[in-house]
Amino acid sequence: MTWHLLDEDLRAYATRTLAAPGLWSTEAHLVACGECRERLAAAATVDLESAIDGGWARLDVALDAPRPGPVERLMITVGVSDHTARLLAATPALRLSWLVAIAVTAALTATVAVFTDPVVFLAVAPLLPLVAVAMSFAPGIDPTHEIAVVTPIRSFRLLLLRCLAVLSATTALSAVASLFIYEYGLRATGWFLPSLALTVLSLLLSPRLGAGPAAVAVGVGWAAVVAATFGDRLVFTVAGQVGVVIVGGIAAVALSRQRGTYDSYHVPNLMRRAS
C-alpha cells in the first residue's frame, strides 16, 4: 500500500462516528491493509480504556454526590434551581429538629394561654420566626455560611429567600397552634402581623449588630411593648395592629434602601474569619 489511513479517521471509525463516504473508503482500505488494521486495533483499545476510565470516574462522582433531602427535592419540584434549593435546604431553621422544637414551643405556649391568658401566645408566637430567621444567616450557626456568602447569589436575595422559607414554616406551625385558642376569635391571629414586623426590624438591624444580637434586641423591645400595654392589650387591638403595620412598612422601606450593605458586610466578615 502506498498510503495509509489518518489517525483521526481510525479513531472516528473505532468510535463509529465516521460518516459516509469516508466510512466506505476506510472499510475498503482496511480489508487490504494489515498495518492499518493493527493501528485500528490499538486505537480501539485506547478508546475502550478511556471510556472505561471515564465511566468509573462518573460512577465515583455519582456515588459521592450528596443525595437531596425531602425539602430540597420539594423546592426543585416547584421550580427552584438546584443550587438555590441546596442553599435553602441547608438553612439550620429548616432542619427537622428545629422545626419540631418550634412546633413544640408553639403548642406548649398555646396550651398555657388556654389556661391563663391568650395574650401569652400572641406575645410569644411572633418571637418564633424571629429566632428562626436569626439562624438563617448567622456565621456561628449556619454550617454553609462561608459557601453562602461567596455563592453567585447576592447576599440580600439569599437572605430574603431563606427568610421566606423560614417564615412560611413557622407561620404554618403557629397557625396550627393558634387553633388551641379558637375561642379568642379573630384576635387569635393577632400574632401574624407582629411576626412580620419583628422579622423585618431584625433584618434591618443585622448589618449593624449581627443576626443574633439584632434578634435579641428586637425581641427585648417587643417584650417591653407587650408588657407596657398588657393591661389594655393595645398591641392586639385594631389600632395596635395598624401601628404594627406602619412600623413594619417603614422598616421594609429602610431595608430595601440598604440592601447593598449586606454584600459589603458579609464578605469582609468572612475574610476576617478566614484570617
Side-chain angles (χ1 to χ4, degrees), residues 93-94 99 102 106 125 128-130 132-133 163 165-175 191:
L94 292 180
L99 292 177
I102 292 174
L128 299 180
L130 188 66
V133 168
C163 288
V166 168
L167 276 173
S168 299
T170 55
T171 298
L173 294 174
S174 297
W191 54 269

Side-chain angles (χ1 to χ4, degrees), residues 229-247:
T229 60
F230 186 82
D232 54 11
R233 291 158 169 73
L234 178 61
V235 179
F236 305 108
T237 62
V238 175
Q241 295 287 294
V242 171
V244 169
V245 171
I246 294 174
V247 172

Side-chain angles (χ1 to χ4, degrees), residues 95-157:
R95 294 175 182 171
L96 181 60
S97 58
W98 281 105
L99 292 177
V100 171
I102 292 174
V104 171
T105 302
L108 291 177
T109 305
T111 303
V112 172
V114 170
F115 295 100
T116 56
D117 193 320
V119 174
V120 174
F121 177 76
L122 298 180
V124 174
L127 298 177
L128 299 180
L130 188 66
V131 174
V133 168
M135 296 186 301
S136 298
F137 222 80
I141 301 176
D142 182 9
T144 63
H145 178 75
E146 287 81 0
I147 299 175
V149 296
V150 298
T151 190
I153 300 178
R154 296 186 68 88
S155 297
F156 184 71
R157 179 172 178 266

Side-chain angles (χ1 to χ4, degrees), residues 23 34 47 70 99 163 182 202 224 250 264:
L23 174 63
D47 290 336
L99 292 177
C163 288
Y182 66 92
S202 176
I250 295 174
S264 60

